[in-house]
Amino acid sequence: MSSESSKKRKPKVIRSDGAPAEGKRNRSDTEQAIEIEERRIQSCVHFMTLKKLNRLKGRDQTHEAKQKVDAYHLQLQNLLYEVMHLQKEITNASGVSSKHEEIDLVSLEEFYKEAPPDISKAEVTMGDPHQQTLARLDWELEQRKRLAEKYRECLSNKEKILKEIEVKKEYLSSLQPRLNSIMQASLPVQEYLFMPFDQAHKQYETARHLPPPLYVLFVQATAYGQACDKTLSVAIEGSVDEAKALFKPPEDSQDDESDSDAEEEQTTKRRRPTLGVQLDDKRKEMLKRHPLSVMLDLKCKDDSVLHLTFYYLMNLNIMTVKAKVTTATELITPISAGDLLSPDSVLSCLYPGDHGKKTPNPANQYQFDKVGILTLSDYVLELGHPYLWVQKLGGLHFPKEQPQQTVIADHSLSASHMETTMKLLKTRVQSRLALHKQFASLEHGIVPVTSDCQYLFPAKVVSRLVKWVTVAHEDYMELHFTKDIVDAGLAGDTNLYYMALIERGTAKLQAAVVLNPGYSSIPPVFQLCLNWKGEKTNSNDDNIRAMEGEVNVCYKELCGPWPSHQLLTNQLQRLCVLLDVYLETESHDDSVEGPKEFPQEKMCLRLFRGPSRMKPFKYNHPQGFFSHR
């Protein structure tokens, strides 16, 4: 009987699509699953018991247990149906919404503060949420009517203003030709008063087509010239049309395609370019410069001008510079001054270690590997030097620790380095021109000493300079008495090397000079070798070491007035004085007949001191005597 009723009564399953009901159903399904699992375990136990009872008591007890299970299953289905029905009712009730809920009403505090009493009705609405909502809706309607009226007034005012703008546009369009004619008529006046407004306007129009780094340089250099250095001249050179063409998208034409197809048939017999030619084309494309460049002319006090031309390499995203120095009067170039004003080295190491032979952008090395470029130094004569200070003037910064994917030109970086760099450039030109003039005298055996530095030396100096020549870096490295400087790492390939020969009688003093590009901020370094009664250097004669200390360590006494451009010649003059003291204080051999080769003419308080018999090399002004340090 129970089995027939279970067949007739099938459980009803009602599905609901509502999200809240589905969540509750999931929870109920979980609980049911747990209950079913427990029932399943119990049924297994009962099944084992049933088998036992079947063996013991037979099929009647088995049938009775099955009826109990069916009854429990039926109760479970009824409970599930009731749960699903309740979930559906909850979903339907929660889905009902009103239109006023979509309106963003003002807050209650603002409503009771701004709404008039006849609308707010605080005594009624404060305790009744329904009346409160109706009052807030009435206040919203009142505000929207007021805003709609204001909107119509604004539209009418807008139409009036647009009509006034049209009238003024017509006036301005008619005014432009008149202004152009006035500007053309004022050009002679601008030239006479040195106020080139028209030229400056054209420069700014051209500057719009500069790449970002060159634009930053142009703006900051112009601003610095207007504020700090009126003699600084900034100009833009190059083809504006080519610069405009860089930003135009390529035009695809069907005629070009048909022409190329026709030419293909004619060129089938031609040879394809070799791999070397293709690499050359890729290198040229990678090292391509922007059509526009920025020129800076720095004028110094002696009317000399440093011409700087800045370029931008588009594919490498770096800037380069070429330099040229011109003077008011034509200079006679001494042989030893050949590299002083050379465009390749005049700006080398403006900042310490910045020789401008390597690219500052770490990403360029990977680009070079693709086209077979070993180093950028092979192309600097053609492209210019990519100094680090050039990148900073253009607002470019390439961090080595955390490389950036795209480097953006920064105005603040350029402005922070502009003044310091301009001063260093002027100082470099003035020091090189001063060395240029001094070398012309040194090659003729004359050590020029200015009147401001005469007090540093005694009135009579017998030793004289007989030779001043330039020395190659490799030759300097091979000199036996310069080993200390080489081992100390002071003989870099960016330095300039010279050899001076000072004579007095049979004594000859060789001085190997290392001139740092940062002269006179960085003093020259001297290494000495005296040929008299044998060869004497700092390794076998303490007095030679002391002479080197006088010019290398005590160089500040020889700097003279700022900016110390006479330091090198003062050091050479001091060497002549030191050689006189060395020779005059040398003890005379009584076994040799005849007068003393180097009679003592310098006044010394004490000829020797200590077991090493050190000589008095310090000159005391104005007393005019020599003493020990």
Side-chain angles (χ1 to χ4, degrees):
M1 188 69 180
S2 59
S3 62
E4 293 177 358
S5 61
S6 63
K7 291 180 181 179
K8 292 180 181 180
R9 296 177 59 187
K10 296 181 179 180
K12 296 183 180 180
V13 180
I14 301 175
R15 297 182 180 179
S16 174
D17 297 332
E22 186 176 352
K24 293 182 179 181
R25 188 181 63 188
N26 291 335
R27 290 194 298 270
S28 62
D29 289 344
T30 305
E31 295 173 357
Q32 292 168 12
I34 295 172
E35 184 178 357
I36 290 172
E37 181 66 19
E38 294 175 356
R39 297 287 187 181
R40 185 183 65 80
I41 295 172
Q42 292 176 6
S43 63
C44 291
V45 175
H46 291 322
F47 182 73
M48 298 299 295
T49 307
L50 180 63
K51 292 177 93 178
K52 182 178 179 181
L53 293 175
N54 187 32
R55 291 192 298 269
L56 298 176
K57 296 183 179 181
R59 295 182 179 179
D60 294 336
Q61 294 179 355
T62 302
H63 184 67
E64 183 179 354
K66 183 178 180 181
Q67 287 181 346
K68 290 181 181 180
V69 172
D70 291 340
Y72 289 143
H73 182 72
L74 183 60
Q75 291 177 7
L76 176 62
Q77 294 297 330
N78 291 335
L79 290 173
L80 287 174
Y81 175 76
E82 291 178 5
V83 169
M84 294 178 65
H85 177 71
L86 292 174
Q87 289 177 348
K88 182 177 180 182
E89 292 298 327
I90 292 171
T91 302
N92 293 335
S94 62
V96 177
S97 61
S98 177
K99 286 291 184 182
H100 78 276
E101 295 179 357
E102 301 176 359
I103 302 175
D104 188 13
L105 300 176
V106 297
S107 63
L108 288 175
E109 295 179 0
E110 188 177 353
F111 168 68
Y112 285 113
K113 183 178 179 181
E114 297 181 357
D118 58 338
I119 294 179
S120 62
K121 298 178 182 179
E123 66 279 357
V124 179
T125 59
M126 290 292 286
D128 190 351
H130 179 65
Q131 293 296 329
Q132 187 183 71
T133 303
L134 293 177
R136 293 174 69 186
L137 291 173
D138 291 340
W139 174 238
E140 184 71 21
L141 178 62
E142 184 69 22
Q143 283 185 317
R144 294 196 178 194
K145 287 181 179 179
R146 195 179 305 164
L147 292 174
E149 182 66 26
K150 189 176 180 180
Y151 173 71
R152 287 191 290 270
E153 292 178 1
C154 292
L155 283 180
S156 61
N157 292 334
K158 180 183 176 182
E159 292 177 358
K160 293 179 182 179
I161 294 172
L162 287 175
K163 290 180 180 178
E164 293 178 0
I165 291 175
E166 290 296 330
V167 173
K168 291 181 179 180
K169 278 185 178 180
E170 293 178 0
Y171 173 75
L172 291 175
S173 61
S174 62
L175 183 63
Q176 184 64 34
R178 299 178 184 177
L179 293 176
N180 291 335
S181 61
I182 293 173
M183 290 295 294
Q184 291 294 329
S186 66
L187 288 178
V189 179
Q190 294 180 27
E191 295 177 359
Y192 180 76
L193 297 177
F194 300 101
M195 302 171 66
F197 296 112
D198 187 63
Q199 182 180 359
H201 177 70
K202 291 180 180 179
Q203 286 285 320
Y204 280 108
E205 286 295 324
T206 306
R208 295 170 53 191
H209 305 287
L210 287 172
L214 289 181
Y215 179 78
V216 169
L217 172 64
F218 174 79
V219 172
Q220 295 299 329
T222 304
Y224 174 77
Q226 294 174 355
C228 304
D229 189 357
K230 300 295 183 182
T231 61
L232 177 63
S233 174
V234 185
I236 301 174
E237 287 192 351
S239 174
V240 180
D241 295 334
E242 292 182 11
K244 292 180 180 179
L246 293 175
F247 298 97
K248 290 183 179 179
E251 299 179 358
D252 295 333
S253 175
Q254 293 182 355
D255 297 336
D256 294 341
E257 292 179 1
S258 61
D259 293 342
S260 62
D261 293 339
E263 290 176 359
E264 250 184 63
E265 297 178 358
Q266 299 177 0
T267 58
T268 50
K269 296 183 179 180
R270 297 179 183 175
R271 295 182 179 178
R272 295 184 178 180
T274 60
L275 182 60
V277 175
Q278 292 178 357
L279 281 177
D280 289 339
D281 295 340
K282 290 181 179 179
R283 291 182 191 129
K284 291 179 181 178
E285 181 64 25
M286 181 167 291
L287 302 175
K288 187 177 180 181
R289 297 188 301 206
H290 193 274
L292 297 179
S293 59
V294 176
M295 283 195 64
L296 299 184
D297 290 344
L298 276 172
K299 295 182 180 179
C300 301
K301 294 181 181 179
D302 53 356
D303 293 334
S304 59
V305 182
L306 174 62
H307 305 278
L308 300 174
T309 306
F310 295 88
Y311 302 97
Y312 177 67
L313 306 185
M314 298 179 289
N315 295 320
L316 300 181
N317 191 27
I318 58 174
M319 291 175 59
T320 60
V321 65
K322 286 186 175 182
K324 181 182 178 182
V325 179
T326 58
T327 56
T329 58
E330 186 177 357
L331 295 176
I332 300 175
T333 305
I335 298 175
S336 59
D339 294 334
L340 288 178
L341 300 179
S342 171
D344 187 40
S345 61
V346 67
L347 300 181
S348 178
C349 297
L350 187 67
Y351 288 89
D354 189 8
H355 49 73
K357 295 182 180 179
K358 295 182 180 180
T359 172
N361 189 353
N364 294 159
Q365 191 58 47
Y366 300 99
Q367 296 175 289
F368 292 162
D369 293 341
K370 293 181 180 179
V371 296
I373 296 178
L374 298 178
T375 176
L376 190 63
S377 59
D378 298 334
Y379 303 89
V380 291
L381 292 178
E382 178 184 357
L383 302 175
H385 292 267
Y387 297 110
L388 288 176
W389 58 268
V390 174
Q391 317 308 317
K392 292 178 180 179
L393 290 185
L396 297 177
H397 177 58
F398 302 97
K400 295 181 179 179
E401 296 180 356
Q402 296 179 352
Q404 300 177 0
Q405 293 182 354
T406 56
V407 179
I408 303 174
D410 185 7
H411 281 269
S412 60
L413 178 64
S414 176
S416 63
H417 289 79
M418 183 63 67
E419 184 175 4
T420 304
T421 304
M422 292 299 150
K423 291 181 178 179
L424 287 175
L425 288 171
K426 284 189 175 182
T427 304
R428 172 61 62 87
V429 173
Q430 292 172 357
S431 64
R432 290 298 175 91
L433 290 174
L435 286 174
H436 195 278
K437 295 178 181 178
Q438 293 169 13
F439 284 3
S441 299
L442 294 177
E443 287 188 358
H444 290 83
I446 302 172
V447 181
V449 180
T450 61
S451 58
D452 298 331
C453 301
Q454 289 288 350
Y455 70 94
L456 297 173
F457 314 102
K460 183 177 181 180
V461 181
V462 182
S463 299
R464 59 189 181 89
L465 177 70
V466 296
K467 186 178 181 182
W468 175 263
V469 292
T470 183
V471 179
H473 178 234
E474 295 78 9
D475 297 337
Y476 181 89
M477 301 282 285
E478 293 177 358
L479 293 174
H480 65 280
F481 59 93
T482 60
K483 187 176 182 301
D484 295 341
I485 299 297
V486 175
D487 295 341
L490 300 177
D493 56 354
T494 58
N495 297 330
L496 302 176
Y497 299 92
Y498 301 93
M499 181 67 73
L501 180 61
I502 300 174
E503 289 185 358
R504 181 180 177 181
T506 59
K508 296 182 179 180
L509 178 65
Q510 287 181 302
V513 185
V514 180
L515 190 66
N516 191 281
Y519 174 87
S520 57
S521 300
I522 302 175
V525 180
F526 287 74
Q527 286 291 101
L528 305 179
C529 177
L530 177 61
N531 292 308
W532 182 64
K533 296 181 179 180
E535 188 176 81
K536 302 177 182 180
T537 63
N538 58 7
S539 60
N540 56 17
D541 193 331
D542 293 335
N543 285 299
I544 296 296
R545 183 183 295 107
M547 292 171 63
E548 292 177 352
E550 286 291 325
V551 291
N552 292 333
V553 180
C554 305
Y555 69 93
K556 291 184 179 179
E557 300 176 1
L558 306 173
C559 288
W562 191 87
S564 307
H565 291 157
Q566 297 294 325
L567 175 59
L568 177 63
T569 54
N570 288 345
Q571 287 176 311
L572 290 172
Q573 185 71 359
R574 172 63 67 88
L575 279 180
C576 294
V577 175
L578 295 177
L579 181 59
D580 285 346
V581 174
Y582 184 95
L583 296 175
E584 292 175 10
T585 56
E586 193 70 16
S587 58
H588 179 65
D589 190 0
D590 297 334
S591 62
V592 179
E593 297 181 358
K596 188 177 180 180
E597 182 180 3
F598 304 111
Q600 183 176 350
E601 298 178 354
K602 307 293 188 295
M603 183 172 61
C604 304
L605 294 181
R606 187 178 178 184
L607 295 181
F608 304 102
R609 186 180 68 180
S612 57
R613 300 182 65 80
M614 299 300 296
K615 301 184 179 186
F617 291 123
K618 180 182 178 182
Y619 178 67
N620 295 273
H621 174 80
Q623 293 82 3
F625 63 87
F626 290 84
S627 62
H628 293 85
R629 287 193 180 272

